[in-house]
Amino acid sequence: MRFLLIFGVAFGGLLSACAQQQAGSLHPYDYTIEKNITAAKGAVVSAHPLASEAGVLVLRQGGNAVDAAIATQLALAVVYPGAGNIGGGGFLVAHLKNGRNIAIDYRETAPAKASRDMYLDSAGNAITKLSLDGHLAAGIPGTVAGLFASMKYAKLPFSKLIAPAILLAEKGFVITAKEAESLNHTREEFVKLNTVPTAFVKEVPWKAGDTLVQPDLAHTLKLIRDKGQAGFYEGETADNIVSEMQRGGGIITLADLKNYKAVERKAIAFQYKGQTIVTMPLPSSGGVCLQQMMMMVENYPVAKWGFQSPQALQLMIEAERRAYADRAEFLGDPDFVKVPVARLIDPSYIRSRMSTFTPGTAGNSDSTKAGLTKESEQTTHLSVIDADGNAVAVTTTLNGHYGSRTVAGKAGFLLNNEMDDFSVKPGVPNMYGLVGTEANAIAPGKRMLSSMTPTIVLKNNKPIYSLGTPGGATIITSVFQTLMNTLEFGLSPEDAVNKPKFHHQWLPDVVYVEPGFPEEGVQALEQMGYKIEKRGPIGRTELIKKDLKTGQLQAAADKRGDDGAAGY
Ligand code: GLY
């Protein structure tokens, strides 16, 4: 499907010839949304077509997949302010052409002044608003440190990679109807939660075709370009963040910012029927849970049962239930808590977990004691595969839509509300029904548990898929289902991404289905005893497939949003 944004005539004149030249193939005032493309050399897919184009631009300039991932993330921080960010955090998983797997953790950390009970009132009740709205909700941003940690694997100078983002912020870009609606929807919160005027609020409502210009953000991006990581974690930008904290009752200090470090971790790699799945380890729960779920279904004839058959649906739901129960009980930041990962993925443990699976009869979550941290669903994913066979999958987040909705003063970027991914009150449900355990309790410097699951699939040590999605707690089940859709059910990239998904997260003991989920499937599950709840769209999956015989790339951008694929 091809969408044409027809604002070029009205707004094209605003971008000078010089700026347009610098932007290369970027057309911020006149762009199309390509959902499904094929490409011979390189492909990028992300939540916004201009960000995907920024990635392809650096591929064309001789950059590799890591360069493209860096440029795409920076562009997303401008054109997709709801989740793209420099004020949040993320994870990068890559398979390099030399055969190495990489996992870079740039998850936010709790400030040094954070404490376990910081969101409880004097009676010990959780005040969840504080971990969601405004200054106190923000963790120390990790994205910029993550970008510089990724530079070790890039080819081009950082100044080239950040150039499209600077231009998009400085000269602006035309917004879509969805972005206009989203900014209007959040207007009141932007006004309430900010101490300085922001680029996201204007006198009259936003509409499709308006130009969003972010001069303060452009200035911050230039500081990062000129001073590197210190352009964010020290000096003017750090001062802006800390002054904003002081104006709004936040606790992030200059020392917190200076001490932040991205961490390179050992990627999870496991076998699934002749393929290697490479994915993110803790502090994301994604990789461990994905491995558990794939191990739980591996020995059943799911392909024979067929896509969305009652048998396959039930098996996958029961795998999801069990993995999420373990998530709630055991998973947290491995630098702070001892997590029994080896036991959780031990084949005999997986067999014992599935020993209670009864085909045709719904399981139940009653006997399990611990809780699950429900997460907000605004995160964003991008995938890249380049001509050399490097593959990158990156998922980043502000947590909620537009994060804390608080801009870091004159620095012009939104701060995350990632503190809410901690268990605000371990072991006890809070006012929104959120529960968790000690493993994910708040502690200074600790990383909050994530569900982000950037994933690459290898065949004979060569990448054949790069994929991932936003969606909070639904991220892991969406990646699981997309992998099953491709590896077991043989769906095309487009169908694997867009066919309706379902989600079970142990508690509540409900199967969520999204719009378009087949009624026959709902009825079959209800007959087995499942409680079904219809909900809104699940995730925004991005996927690139590489055909190892022809070298052709197929990139599929999720139809659920403005997501766009680009290639050359
Ligand atoms: N904030 C969503 C996640 O990290 O899972």
Side-chain angles (χ1 to χ4, degrees):
M1 208 185 321
R2 188 161 198 268
F3 298 86
L4 180 63
L5 298 174
I6 45 165
F7 315 119
V9 179
F11 295 91
L14 291 179
L15 191 67
S16 69
C18 168
Q20 188 77 59
Q21 199 179 12
Q22 274 178 280
S25 58
L26 287 184
H27 298 284
Y29 307 130
D30 178 10
Y31 56 92
T32 55
I33 300 180
E34 302 285 356
K35 288 294 179 189
N36 299 287
I37 60 123
T38 55
K41 293 186 172 167
V44 182
V45 59
S46 78
H48 199 286
L50 288 171
S52 300
E53 288 293 351
V56 168
L57 188 66
V58 303
L59 288 178
R60 285 180 186 277
Q61 289 170 344
N64 64 20
V66 178
D67 290 290
I70 294 169
T72 305
Q73 282 173 86
L74 285 160
L76 281 171
V78 180
V79 298
Y80 187 46
N85 70 81
I86 54 172
F91 300 125
L92 175 146
V93 169
H95 177 82
L96 303 181
K97 66 175 180 184
N98 64 12
R100 230 182 115 190
N101 297 327
I102 306 292
I104 302 177
D105 163 6
Y106 39 107
R107 183 69 163 163
E108 300 92 327
T109 54
K113 285 188 188 149
S115 59
R116 184 190 147 122
D117 296 340
M118 64 188 278
Y119 300 116
L120 304 186
D121 66 17
S122 54
N125 299 314
I127 324 168
T128 337
K129 253 178 111 50
L130 292 180
S131 65
L132 285 168
D133 297 351
H135 302 70
L136 207 53
I140 314 305
T143 295
V144 174
L147 297 177
F148 283 98
S150 310
M151 281 302 289
K152 192 167 139 193
Y153 303 103
K155 278 164 75 180
L156 298 181
F158 190 77
S159 56
K160 266 204 156 110
L161 308 182
I162 201 170
I166 293 174
L167 206 80
L168 289 163
E170 198 164 42
K171 306 289 175 192
F173 66 99
V174 155
I175 64 168
T176 63
K178 282 197 174 85
E179 188 65 57
E181 191 189 324
S182 173
L183 287 168
N184 292 336
H185 182 78
T186 319
R187 186 180 199 282
E188 254 176 56
E189 288 170 324
F190 283 139
V191 171
K192 195 172 87 195
L193 298 169
N194 282 285
T195 63
V196 296
T198 83
F200 307 116
V201 174
K202 59 185 189 113
E203 287 297 303
V204 293
W206 292 96
K207 57 182 188 326
D210 283 351
T211 303
L212 176 59
V213 186
Q214 301 171 76
D216 291 347
L217 177 58
H219 178 69
T220 300
L221 292 171
K222 284 180 190 168
L223 289 173
I224 297 168
R225 177 195 63 193
D226 298 341
K227 297 178 192 292
Q229 193 163 320
F232 184 88
Y233 291 99
E234 297 173 47
E236 191 180 328
T237 310
D239 288 344
N240 271 321
I241 297 172
V242 172
S243 313
E244 185 56 45
M245 288 290 134
Q246 285 161 358
R247 284 195 296 272
I251 55 173
I252 295 176
T253 63
L254 289 174
D256 281 330
L257 292 164
K258 201 165 176 190
N259 291 337
Y260 181 85
K261 283 192 178 47
V263 182
E264 199 159 330
R265 302 197 184 264
K266 187 170 184 294
I268 289 178
F270 64 94
Q271 296 302 309
Y272 187 82
K273 300 188 181 178
Q275 282 114 168
T276 308
I277 314 291
V278 183
T279 188
M280 192 67 207
L282 292 167
S284 179
S285 60
V288 175
C289 291
L290 181 66
Q291 181 169 3
Q292 284 192 306
M293 292 190 288
M294 295 202 72
M295 288 177 80
M296 286 177 199
V297 301
E298 193 171 16
N299 294 323
Y300 294 86
V302 270
K304 200 174 115 214
W305 287 340
F307 174 64
Q308 288 184 347
S309 62
Q311 299 100 312
L313 286 173
Q314 191 207 359
L315 177 71
M316 290 166 72
I317 287 164
E318 292 301 331
E320 292 177 4
R321 180 202 306 281
R322 286 158 176 76
Y324 275 67
D326 283 351
R327 178 193 194 276
E329 178 71 34
F330 298 113
L331 304 190
D333 182 348
D335 295 341
F336 282 72
V337 290
K338 211 166 151 34
V339 182
V341 174
R343 179 155 82 76
L344 293 171
I345 53 168
D346 186 278
S348 61
Y349 174 71
I350 296 291
R351 269 196 304 279
S352 76
R353 287 300 264 158
M354 289 307 277
S355 64
T356 51
F357 168 62
T358 313
T361 306
N364 73 77
S365 301
D366 282 353
S367 52
T368 322
K369 290 190 181 65
L372 174 81
T373 301
K374 187 177 153 202
E375 287 159 43
S376 166
E377 302 196 349
Q378 278 309 323
T379 295
T380 190
H381 179 82
L382 68 99
S383 281
V384 189
I385 298 185
D386 69 17
D388 292 335
N390 299 295
V392 179
V394 178
T395 315
T396 68
T397 184
L398 285 171
N399 196 27
H401 203 37
Y402 303 106
S404 61
R405 279 87 78 225
T406 298
V407 171
K410 287 299 286 172
F413 62 87
L414 284 155
L415 289 160
N416 66 83
N417 59 353
E418 220 71 58
M419 291 298 283
D420 198 63
D421 267 353
F422 280 118
S423 295
V424 169
K425 187 174 180 185
V428 176
N430 65 20
M431 65 197 285
Y432 292 106
L434 315 179
V435 285
T437 69
E438 197 56 47
N440 192 31
I442 302 171
K446 190 175 174 184
R447 285 160 149 86
M448 53 297 280
L449 188 63
S450 172
S451 295
M452 295 187 287
T453 316
T455 298
I456 289 164
V457 182
L458 310 177
K459 181 102 185 165
N460 301 327
N461 215 27
K462 301 251 182 309
I464 54 170
Y465 289 104
S466 172
L467 71 152
T469 182
T474 68
I475 292 174
I476 317 171
T477 52
S478 289
V479 170
F480 171 50
Q481 286 165 53
T482 308
L483 285 176
M484 296 299 284
N485 288 351
T486 53
L487 304 180
E488 290 283 7
F489 303 125
L491 265 54
S492 67
E494 181 179 356
D495 282 348
V497 162
N498 292 317
K499 288 282 182 193
K501 297 201 166 67
F502 57 91
H503 173 69
H504 194 294
Q505 58 179 40
W506 175 59
L507 288 181
D509 194 349
V510 163
V511 182
Y512 297 98
V513 298
E514 70 170 330
F517 191 84
E519 249 339 283
E520 314 86 74
V522 170
Q523 281 165 18
L525 290 170
E526 280 175 342
Q527 270 164 21
M528 292 179 205
Y530 288 97
K531 185 164 181 280
I532 310 292
E533 220 169 271
K534 296 186 178 170
R535 51 154 283 168
I538 296 180
R540 283 169 65 167
T541 303
E542 322 290 7
L543 178 143
I544 304 176
K545 175 182 183 178
K546 179 165 186 172
D547 183 324
L548 288 182
K549 283 205 192 93
T550 63
Q552 193 190 52
L553 299 165
Q554 279 178 275
D558 200 302
K559 70 172 185 188
R560 296 167 182 84
D562 289 331
D563 314 47
Y568 76 115

